[in-house]
Amino acid sequence: MIEMRDITKHYGAVQALKGASITIPAGKITALLGSNGSGKSTLVKVLAGLVSPNSGSILINGQPVVIRSGNDAQARGISTAFQDLSLLPMMTVSDNLLLGNEPRTPFGMVDREKSRQIVKDLMDRFKIRCSPQDYVQSLPSSTQSMLEIAKAVHRNPRVLLLDEATAALHMDEITVLFDILRDLRDQGLSIVFVTHRMHEVFELCDEAVILRGGETVKSGPVTEFTLDDLVYYMTGQRMAHHAPGQDVSETSRQGQAVLEVKNLSLPPRVKDVSMTAHAGEIIGIGGLEGQGQSDFMRAILGAKHKTGGSIRFLGEEVAFRQPAQAVKAGMGLISGERNREAMFPDRTIAENIFAGNAAVGPRFRFLPKKFVRKFSEDAVKTYRIKIGSLKDAASTLSGGNQQKLVIARWIAVGPKLLLLDDPTKGVDIHSRLEIHQILRESAQKGMAVIISASDMDELLEIAQRVYVFYEGRVSGVLQGDSMTQENMVSLMMGFTNEKADGLLMKSKEAQA
Amino acid sequence: MNTLTQSVKKFRRTPAFTGFVLFTIALVMNILMQGINSGTPLAFFKPAFYGSMLMTNAPFILTTMAQSLLLIVGLFDISIGIQLALVNVICIMVPQELGLPIWAGWLAAMGANLLVSAAFGACSSLLRLPAMLVGYAFTFIIKGVNVSIMSKPQGKVPKEVYLPYQTLIGGVLPVALLVIVAIFLMWLLIKRRPLGKHLYAVGGNPRNAYAAGISPVKVQMQANLLKGFIVGVGGICLTLMNASGNPLQAEDYGLRSLIACILGGMGFGGWGSMACGVFGASFFVLIQNAVYYFFSYLSKVITGFAVSTYWQNLVSDVILLLGLLVTIITAREQRKTLKEGLFNQFKGGEARVSR
Ligand SMILES: Nc1ncnc2c1ncn2[C@@H]1O[C@H](COP(=O)(O)OP(=O)(O)OP(=O)(O)O)[C@@H](O)[C@H]1O
Ligand SMILES: [Mg+2]
């Protein structure tokens, strides 16, 4: 059992933790919950030895200990899957999994045969499908997340810390992971599980600890909480109930066709996909990991070049060669892979928010400082981004707040078509609802929105129509009454004709 | 056969592939030019020739190998060239001034250079000063030390000490080559130890290495000491080749070794290997040779044709620049294989889901 008592940590003026406490019992999965910027990652990093707290104590089985480094943490059997991953992109999968823990021969060499076996076992266990010799940088983000977890589990920890490990994972991967975690729990491990997906808390966790503003506000067995309770303790407000997707009714479909995609191909990942998006519509794109969703979006934006089919944007045939052209023409992309595609981590928060605006205007126009500041201040307020100062580097923001920043950037620009690729990855439930509301409002004002998400429930909640991808094709389109979890799951598995009873429409019919 | 194509494919993915391509091009050019110039097509393969070429260039190649080690952990040292001179100076002066045996001089030189390397490591990884600045400062400091130990070029190495280094074993195998191979084998051994993985991890991202329980400072320090050792060996080779001392030689090896590493396909931190250094340095050497033979051939066939070394350098520099272009092309090749990997993975996924 591990106890952390009254931990405080401040970064300059920002108080990340002010007296947070948590008890982590053995043989249980403890959910660590809180809104973006509430200090969850900081607390995890304190235990992992990466952040040294300003005050407070850590007790292992009642004995006070000091954890000064990653090495200390490891020696005490604590291992961590970090929110921003600790993988080395330029090293291979195998080297990453074994790093710092390589099996050795009696002569102190790395035991290659054993390594191969360990890596194979780990990858089989986590159902990671790639070659052990692949470089990590070439893998999709969900595979990287799985690797990060596998790496932590491989160290045979007594305490396993998972910081938003499921944020990038798809349904099938989560099933695999949960089975493994339950197994580990039954073996007596202490597991801390940070997540923003509330249903996971009820599905998996035994205990819950809730942080707000760097303080522990509530803890207890999960069975004692309802969803409303959790949100209440996280935000201090009772949740307003949205009727999902209903308030924006079918009428909005009469808007102008903003995007018409016909038979788009981008082998090997996208094959013959057609889709129409009208002004005022929110369209969902679903599917398991790597079924072509994100390539489809990037093909629309011109980041990847289609080999067949046509794209009409605002009534005109287009073939963008670069995203810059698409952005000029009125598109925007919000990516969940913020580090790779969306953030300038060393630039200030203000500059980051303004980046979208800067990209659409004339290149040499004069930008008064005040204007930039006003623009960013408004965005920070609207999206409740928790910041120290606008002048801080964007990398100091908590994971979810970074994501909100990226969203703020684009919605503020007001594109005609907004593409969102897993945009609410790592965003807390409250902000997620706010973002959904903002998307709905933007849609009502005439924006067409296409959103893909790894979380199926999110799609069912926000989208009016969902195109489900399977092996690069649209295996079916859900709308109205057919938008149920069961239908979605069967389409995700590729069962196109299984329960066709008028519920599932083939994509062609939907277009008609 | 299948395994052969597989290992060729695998090699194409490695960073050293770039350096290998450049090296091969330069080697072919050198063989051709020398053949044309001397009238005997296979002049390059005369032991006396490649023996002396390896001997003269062994210090540079070793220095580049040392530099590549630093680059792997995300550091680089431009004072590495003048460190060769330091080793050389001590090797000469300890026996000459103190009357100690030659091996004591070598030992002292090695010790001094390990000390310098440790100091460099302390400044760059412990104090986190920028490597460029530390290298620049160290160049001046070491130069000063060199000159205060030995004010002007001087000294001797007894014949029975340097002759063995300059001979060919069995008439075909240069000792200098053995030294290079030995150091390279040492690297291969290290690479297969956990330390080898840690070097790459620290160069790739110190924070993540730290999170995995590796101490970046310690690993960078170890890399510095290894580098110090290799430069020490290089300095001894230099001494045996010249059989005298010069406090201000080889300074340009600092920058040149860095460039050779980049040409060989290394990145700044966590990408590339010592093979990149070997290939890059050899490319450098072979191109300069080839250009030399080219011009001396011209001056033979065209009467009255004479070219200053400046022109020769210009031409070899242009070729080096072209080498950089090749680097870009082969890097694209590597990207393509990365993409292929992604494709395979997708196919694998397809098979899995449809089962
Ligand atoms: N290195 C840093 N410098 C300055 N401020 C920081 C730093 N790291 C974290 N903070 C601040 O500390 C607060 C808590 O951050 P933390 O990352 O722990 O939040 P979190 O609960 O993990 O949020 P999320 O759900 O968004 O990941 C945030 O306001 C953040 O801006
Ligand atoms: Mg976090």
Side-chain angles (χ1 to χ4, degrees), chain B residues 193-216:
Chain B
R193 293 179 149 260
L195 174 62
K197 310 285 176 203
H198 299 179
L199 291 172
Y200 282 98
V202 167
N205 185 333
R207 179 207 146 230
N208 289 352
Y210 183 76
I214 299 164
S215 158

Side-chain angles (χ1 to χ4, degrees), chain B:
Chain B
M1 192 58 220
N2 201 12
T3 49
L4 185 72
T5 47
Q6 242 172 21
S7 38
V8 168
K9 249 198 178 151
K10 214 170 135 192
F11 181 53
R12 271 183 25 169
R13 274 179 22 152
T14 64
F17 180 67
T18 318
F20 175 74
V21 170
L22 288 177
F23 168 75
T24 316
I25 293 172
L27 186 67
V28 170
M29 271 177 63
N30 191 334
I31 293 172
L32 284 179
M33 287 301 159
Q34 196 174 357
I36 293 172
N37 181 47
S38 65
T40 24
L42 297 181
F44 177 85
F45 298 98
K46 280 198 188 123
F49 169 72
Y50 65 72
S52 85
M53 187 173 79
L54 270 163
M55 186 186 73
T56 20
N57 291 299
F60 174 59
I61 294 174
L62 286 168
T63 311
T64 311
M65 288 161 86
Q67 189 76 274
S68 69
L69 249 177
L70 285 190
L71 273 171
I72 289 171
V73 293
L75 296 173
F76 60 91
D77 183 356
I78 56 165
S79 70
I80 202 168
I82 200 76
Q83 287 172 27
L84 276 177
L86 174 72
V87 174
N88 169 249
V89 162
I90 298 178
C91 279
I92 295 288
M93 292 312 261
V94 166
Q96 182 180 314
E97 299 298 308
L98 307 177
L100 293 172
I102 302 239
W103 60 262
W106 291 14
L107 224 56
M110 189 59 96
N113 204 51
L114 286 176
L115 219 62
V116 168
S117 302
F120 184 92
C123 292
S124 56
S125 44
L126 207 57
L127 305 178
R128 299 190 193 204
L129 300 172
M132 192 76 205
L133 289 185
V134 181
Y136 192 63
F138 267 53
T139 306
F140 283 100
I141 298 170
I142 297 171
K143 248 196 226 170
V145 171
N146 286 1
V147 173
S148 67
I149 300 176
M150 179 195 273
S151 52
K152 57 176 195 291
Q154 58 184 284
K156 265 202 180 73
V157 178
K159 209 169 186 179
E160 63 273 19
V161 176
Y162 75 74
L163 259 191
Y165 174 71
Q166 302 190 352
T167 51
L168 297 165
I169 297 174
V172 287
L173 195 57
V175 177
L177 183 64
L178 278 186
V179 175
I180 293 172
V181 169
I183 297 287
F184 194 75
L185 286 178
M186 180 185 95
W187 159 246
L188 287 185
L189 267 176
I190 291 168
K191 204 177 167 184
R192 287 200 177 189
R193 293 179 149 260
L195 174 62
K197 310 285 176 203
H198 299 179
L199 291 172
Y200 282 98
V202 167
N205 185 333
R207 179 207 146 230
N208 289 352
Y210 183 76
I214 299 164
S215 158
V217 174
K218 191 171 135 197
V219 169
Q220 288 188 332
M221 209 58 167
Q222 282 165 330
N224 266 298
L225 290 177
L226 282 168
K227 171 231 116 192
F229 173 75
I230 301 174
V231 172
V233 172
I236 293 172
C237 288
L238 186 71
T239 311
L240 292 175
M241 175 186 87
N242 291 338
S244 70
N246 178 351
L248 296 177
Q249 64 187 326
E251 186 185 337
D252 59 328
Y253 284 13
L255 218 51
R256 273 173 61 189
S257 61
L258 192 58
I259 292 165
C261 285
I262 305 298
L263 277 170
M266 299 209 64
F268 285 93
W271 188 249
S273 75
M274 197 175 268
C276 296
V278 174
F279 286 136
S282 310
F283 172 70
F284 227 107
V285 168
L286 290 168
I287 283 296
Q288 275 171 349
N289 257 328
V291 169
Y292 167 79
Y293 286 120
F294 177 64
F295 280 106
S296 64
Y297 176 67
L298 284 187
S299 62
K300 257 188 222 164
V301 288
I302 309 171
T303 38
F305 182 88
V307 177
S308 73
T309 45
Y310 288 110
W311 279 100
Q312 294 195 13
N313 284 344
L314 182 71
V315 172
S316 45
D317 288 347
V318 167
I319 296 178
L320 288 182
L321 209 70
L322 291 177
L324 274 178
L325 287 180
V326 175
T327 318
I328 294 166
I329 294 167
T330 47
R332 189 177 302 152
E333 192 69 20
Q334 275 165 20
R335 238 174 292 139
K336 210 162 68 193
T337 33
L338 272 184
K339 265 192 214 146
E340 263 165 38
L342 275 178
F343 177 50
N344 290 340
Q345 199 188 315
F346 180 72
K347 280 202 306 195
E350 220 167 38
R352 193 183 69 93
V353 177
S354 56
R355 207 180 299 138

Side-chain angles (χ1 to χ4, degrees), chain A residues 37 39-42 83 163-164 194 196 398-400:
Chain A
K40 303 179 298 296
S41 297
T42 312
Q83 184 178 9
D163 192 355
E164 292 191 34
V194 180
H196 287 300
S398 81

Side-chain angles (χ1 to χ4, degrees), chain A residues 54-67:
Chain A
N54 298 112
S55 69
S57 54
I58 301 174
L59 293 92
I60 298 185
N61 296 327
Q63 298 295 315
V65 295
V66 183
I67 300 175

